[in-house]
Every structure is written in structure tokens, then in C-alpha cells.
């Protein structure tokens, strides 16, 4: 397994095209692996290619990849990076890629980490009597948090709780009867995005032959977690969480916790 980071040059037209469509970015990500064919699908229980776009406070955009094989992002550097800088310094091709296995092997029960996850929180509901059950996005932070909290145990972690004196909002229930956790957990939800894009690989195809546009709701979770089952945690880090993994959702990454103030 490999963990890769690529900084996107947002001033380039190719970068803007990639950032505008998760379908186009997905195709570019898969093109980083010579052994992958366009129609290939991951094995049900094996690792897969996961990716995520992170937008920083300083307006930088980073593409993160987790993959079974080391990627070659030369085409991304040419389209959406700094190709002249990469040519000038062959030791810095325009991306960073490191083996992920040693980190995964060190995961231990009880270890605590900061985490980030961009996900597509959905549930299945029937809006009216007699209608078929449909997959529907959660739209409020309360329900989006609840979606992730429901997945803690099977994913091998638990989101840590704040000490009582540090909680500013009381827990309770919403007007619909759903639990509201206040700020009980070290967990925030931000960067809510509604994306609509064409799934076709050929933008010049006649409109009548194009599939219906894809509509996708994504949010980013930041927080702190404790590993409860290292094997399940490793599976989560290499298989992802939730739906829409092809479109930049599901990649959970860990980082050391910042030092607590004294």
C-alpha cells in the first residue's frame, strides 16, 4: 500500500477541469496505475484506490491517494502541477509517495489520532407510502455526525469525547426525535458541497446518449479517534467508508494529535 500527496496548481486550466468534475478526477486518478484498465473493479474484500481533495485555509488544494500500487502522477503534473519545476529537479517529480504498510502495521489498540474524512453520508428512506425506498443524502450536521458515529464500531475506532467542562452545548433530541449530541465528541463537520456532474467520459457525445447527471452531497469530518480494533482499522484505511468512493469520498487519514496546552 502507498500513501501519496499531490499539490494542485489551481491556476492551470487543466486543474480547473479536474476540480470541476469528480468523474474527470476519478479517471485521472485511475490513469496513474499502468496495470489498471478502465473497466476494472476492486475485489470485494481487497484494498482499492481511494482519493480525496483537501482545500486548505491558504487556498491550496492537495490530492491524497491511498493505493495498492505506487502511482505515477506524471500526467497530473503536466495537466495540473508545475512541470518545469519537476524537470528542473528530477528528485522532486511533483508528488510525494510513501509506503503505507509500515504505518498500518504499527496501529495499536488504544492509540489515539487526529483524523480527516470526506464522505457521502446517505440513508435509505421512503418519502411517501407506496414509493420505493431511495438513497437520500443527510443534509444537516446533526444527522451527518450521527451517520459517522453509527459506523465507529464496525470500522475499528471510536470518536473520543470531550471532558464535561469543555462541552458548550447540551445533548438532547431534535424536533424530529433524532439524538443531538451537542458538542460531546471531538468531531466537526464542514465543507458541505452539493455537486452535479456528467458521468460520461465523452463530453462531446450527443445529449440524448448521455446518462443522467450525478448529484452528490459531500462533507468533511475532522476530529479525534481511538483505535479499538487494529485489524478493522486497517481495513477501513485501505477500503474506505461509505458510498461514492470513486468520486473522492471514503478516504480516512490519520495524523498525530497536537500537543495539549499545559
Amino acid at each position: 500500500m502507498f500513501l501519496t500527496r499531490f499539490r494542485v496548481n489551481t491556476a492551470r486550466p487543466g486543474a480547473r477541469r479536474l476540480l470541476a468534475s469528480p468523474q474527470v478526477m476519478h479517471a485521472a486518478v485511475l490513469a496513474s496505475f499502468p496495470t489498471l484498465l478502465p473497466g476494472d473493479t476492486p475485489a470485494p474484500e481487497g484494498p482499492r484506490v481511494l482519493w480525496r481533495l483537501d482545500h486548505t485555509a491558504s487556498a491550496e488544494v492537495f490530492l491524497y491517494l491511498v493505493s495498492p500500487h505506487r502511482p505515477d502522477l506524471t500526467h497530473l503534473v503536466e495537466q495540473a502541477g508545475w512541470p518545469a519545476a519537476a524537470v528542473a529537479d528530477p528528485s522532486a517529480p511533483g508528488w510525494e509517495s510513501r509506503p503505507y504498510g509500515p504505518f498500518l502495521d504499527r496501529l495499536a489498540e488504544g492509540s489515539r489520532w487526529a483524523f480527516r474524512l470526506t464522505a457521502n453520508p446517505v440513508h435509505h428512506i421512503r418519502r411517501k407510502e407506496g414509493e420505493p425506498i431511495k438513497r437520500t443524502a443527510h443534509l444537516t450536521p446533526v444527522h451527518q455526525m450521527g451517520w459517522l458515529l453509527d459506523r465507529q464500531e464496525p470500522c475499528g475506532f471510536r470518536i473520543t469525547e470531550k471532558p464535561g467542562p469543555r462541552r458548550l452545548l447540551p445533548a438532547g433530541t431534535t424536533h424530529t426525535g433524532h439524538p443531538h449530541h451537542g458538542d460531546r465528541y471531538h468531531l466537526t463537520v464542514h465543507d458541505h458541497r452539493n455537486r452535479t456532474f456528467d458521468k460520461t467520459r465523452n463530453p462531446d457525445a450527443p445529449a440524448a446518449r448521455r446518462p443522467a447527471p450525478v448529484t452528490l452531497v459531500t462533507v468533511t469530518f475532522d476530529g479525534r479517534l481511538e483505535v479499538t480494533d487494529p485489524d478493522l482499522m486497517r481495513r477501513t484505511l485501505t477500503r474506505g467508508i461509505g458510498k461514492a468512493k470513486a468520486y473522492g469520498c471514503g478516504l480516512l487519514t490519520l495524523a498525530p494529535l497536537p500537543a495539549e496546552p499545559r
Side-chain angles (χ1 to χ4, degrees), residues 17 20-27 38 41 135 195-207 209-216 244-247:
R17 179 172 176 267
S21 170
Q23 175 66 36
V24 174
M25 181 64 83
H26 170 61
T41 56
R135 183 190 300 172
R195 308 292 302 273
T196 300
F197 55 94
D198 288 331
K199 195 174 180 180
T200 180
R201 295 178 183 272
N202 180 11
D204 298 323
R209 297 184 181 180
R210 296 183 186 179
V214 176
T215 299
L216 189 66
K245 296 183 181 74
Y247 299 133

Side-chain angles (χ1 to χ4, degrees), residues 209-228:
R209 297 184 181 180
R210 296 183 186 179
V214 176
T215 299
L216 189 66
V217 173
T218 66
V219 295
T220 297
F221 298 95
D222 283 324
R224 301 182 179 191
L225 61 77
E226 178 181 313
V227 177
T228 57

Side-chain angles (χ1 to χ4, degrees), residues 76 150 181 203 211 217 243:
L76 284 178
D150 287 344
H181 301 287
V217 173
K243 303 293 184 181

